[in-house]
Amino acid sequence: MLTVAEASERILADIKPLDVETVPLRQALGRVLAEDVSATVTMPPWSNSSMDGYALRSADITPVMSGEPVKLRVVGTIAAGQFASRPVKRGEAMRVMTGAPVPDGADSVIRKEDTDGGTDKVEVRDARDVWKNIRPAGEDFQRGDVLARRSAPIKAALIGVLASTGIAQVKVFRQPRVAIISSGDELVDLDNFDEVVEARRIVSSNSYTLDALTRIAGGIPIDLGIAADTKASLKRKLDAATEYDLILTSAGVSVGDLDHTRDVFASLGGKQKFWKVKMRPGAPLAFGMLNDVPWLGVSGNPVSAMVSFELFVRPALRKMQGHLALFRRTVTVTVDEEVKIAAKLTHFLRALVTRNQDGELVARLTGIQSSGVLTSMVKANALLIVPETSPTVPKGSRLKALMLDQSLEETSAFSL
Ligand code: AMP
Ligand code: MG
C-alpha cells in the first residue's frame, strides 16, 4: 500500500499537460496561458488627464501658491477620444476631461473644483494640483513588455490586459475530457427513479458528484453511464472511454466477487501502476494506463469517490490544463471535539472549518463519517487530516485540514 503522498507522486509523474488550442478571449477565463504574451502597444498610449479640469503650465499659476488667484485664457476643450490641435502656451489653459490626452506644453491638470469653471477665461483658485493629475504614457505597460508568461492562470484582470494589447484569440492548454463510468447492478440513473422509490435500486450519485467535481477542476465530464457488474459490460464502457483524456471509474475496485474493473482493465491491455492507498475513506484506489490514457479507479462509496477525486483526480486534471499550482492548500486548525480513528490509515474526516472571534481556525466534524453518508459531505468545507499515528486526538489539538472550497473567504455580512 502506498502513502497518500506516494500515490499522488506516482500519478502525477504519468500525467502531462495536454496540447494547446486557441480560444476566443472571453472563453479563456479559468484556463492556463500556453505562451508568453508581450505587449504590442504602449498603455496608456498618450499621457492623459486623471481629472476633469484644466491643463496648463505650472509656471503660470505660481501666484496661486501665495493665495492670489490667476486668470488664464481657455484655448480649447479636449474630451476623451479627442486630441489637441495645438500646444498650450504661456497664459493659456485647455479644458480636459478624464482620459483625454494632455496637450503638449501642459505639465499640470487643475481639477475643475479648484477653478471658477470658466469656458473663455478660467480663474485658478487653488494650486494643490500643480504637477499633478497627468498619467504618463506607458504607465501601465510599454510595447515589448512581457505581460504574462506561459502557465499563468487566466483571471479577469489578465483578460483585460490581453484585450488591451489586442489579443482576441488566446493560446491555452486544452481542457481534459473525462470519461466517467459508474458500475454496479444496484445502480440506476434518474430516468429509472421509480425503481429507487420501490427500494430496489439506488441512484448512481457518483455519476453526479464526479461530474460536478470534474467541472470545478476545469475538466469536461462525459458521462458514459452505468456498467453492469459483468466483464462484458465493463469492457464495452472501458473500450469507449479510451478516446478521452482521462478515464474515471467508480466502484468495482475492491475485493468483492463482482469487483471486475481491474481484471477487465488488464484484459484490454491496460497497465495497472498501483492499487490501494493507506487512507480512509478511499483506500481501494487504482491507477493505470490504457492505450496511453490515464485511468483512475475510485471506490464506489459516495464519500470515498469524492475524497479520492479531491486528492488524486483534481491535481491530475489541473496538471493536464497546464497549471503549476496543482494542490489545494491545507490550513492548521484547532479541533473542537475529541476525534478517534479506528484503523492505522491516514483519515480524511468531513469537517466544517470556521474562524472563531480571535480569527483562529476551528474544525468540527459534520456528522457520521461512514463512507456512504454523503449528507455529512454536504455540510463539510474541509477534510480534517488525522495521521495514522494519532488514534485519539484530544479536543483542542492542532491538526491540518484540506480546504475544499472558498467558504472561509466568503461571508453573508458586509465586512469592509
Ligand atoms: P463497490 O466499490 O462496488 O464495492 O461499492 C461500494 C459502495 O458504493 C456500495 O455500497 C455501492 O452501492 C456504492 N456505490 C457504488 N457505485 C456507486 C455510485 N455510482 N453511486 C452511489 N453509490 C455507489
Ligand atoms: Mg459494486
Side-chain angles (χ1 to χ4, degrees), residues 182-183 186-187 202-207 250-252 254 259 299-302:
S182 295
S183 69
E186 74 279 32
L187 305 173
I202 59 170
V203 173
S204 171
S205 58
N206 292 351
S207 303
S250 75
S254 199
D259 288 343
S299 156
N301 287 299

Side-chain angles (χ1 to χ4, degrees), residues 229 231 234 251-263 275-276 284 299-300:
D229 277 325
K231 292 190 171 177
L234 275 165
V253 283
S254 199
V255 292
D257 290 350
L258 298 175
D259 288 343
H260 297 310
T261 312
R262 293 167 55 239
D263 286 348
W275 179 48
K276 288 197 173 174
S299 156

Side-chain angles (χ1 to χ4, degrees), residues 356-368:
N356 68 14
Q357 286 114 322
D358 306 329
E360 228 180 280
L361 298 179
V362 173
R364 277 201 82 79
L365 302 187
T366 55
I368 300 175

Side-chain angles (χ1 to χ4, degrees), residues 21-222:
E21 65 179 354
T22 303
V23 299
L25 181 57
R26 284 190 178 86
Q27 284 168 34
L29 183 66
R31 308 286 291 274
V32 178
L33 202 56
E35 58 178 355
D36 295 351
V37 173
S38 297
T40 55
V41 294
T42 290
M43 191 59 199
W46 50 77
S47 67
N48 67 94
S49 175
S50 65
M51 286 278 180
D52 294 319
Y54 294 83
L56 48 76
R57 301 154 67 96
S58 52
D60 283 346
I61 60 164
T62 316
V64 183
M65 293 181 202
S66 34
E68 216 181 297
V70 163
K71 274 203 168 172
L72 300 172
R73 221 153 23 90
V74 178
V75 295
T77 298
I78 316 159
Q82 295 180 341
F83 294 89
S85 51
R86 69 179 199 62
V88 172
K89 298 183 195 147
R90 258 171 62 186
E92 295 179 348
M94 260 189 221
R95 295 170 71 218
V96 287
M97 313 295 154
T98 303
V102 173
D104 287 345
D107 56 27
S108 305
V109 172
I110 305 301
R111 75 189 75 180
K112 198 174 175 182
E113 297 87 323
D114 289 353
T115 71
D116 65 354
T119 49
D120 297 330
K121 287 206 160 151
V122 62
E123 183 177 271
V124 179
R125 297 167 171 167
D126 195 316
R128 63 178 156 161
D129 284 343
V130 95
W131 298 110
K132 295 209 177 115
N133 303 330
I134 297 177
R135 303 184 284 213
E139 181 183 48
D140 197 353
F141 53 81
Q142 312 256 357
R143 184 183 167 146
D145 284 355
V146 175
L147 296 175
R149 297 268 183 206
R150 177 183 161 97
S151 306
I154 301 179
K155 303 177 192 179
L158 183 52
I159 293 221
V161 168
L162 295 175
S164 300
T165 198
I167 299 197
Q169 306 281 326
V170 198
K171 281 205 171 109
V172 294
F173 293 96
R174 204 159 57 68
Q175 292 176 283
R177 293 161 307 148
V178 181
I180 297 174
I181 302 172
S182 295
S183 69
D185 288 340
E186 74 279 32
L187 305 173
V188 288
D189 205 341
L190 290 175
D191 47 356
N192 287 315
F193 192 68
D194 46 342
E195 295 185 58
V196 178
V197 175
E198 289 160 14
R200 294 193 292 113
R201 296 278 190 272
I202 59 170
V203 173
S204 171
S205 58
N206 292 351
S207 303
Y208 293 85
T209 52
L210 296 176
D211 180 293
L213 291 170
T214 297
R215 290 171 202 268
I216 293 170
I220 302 168
I222 290 102

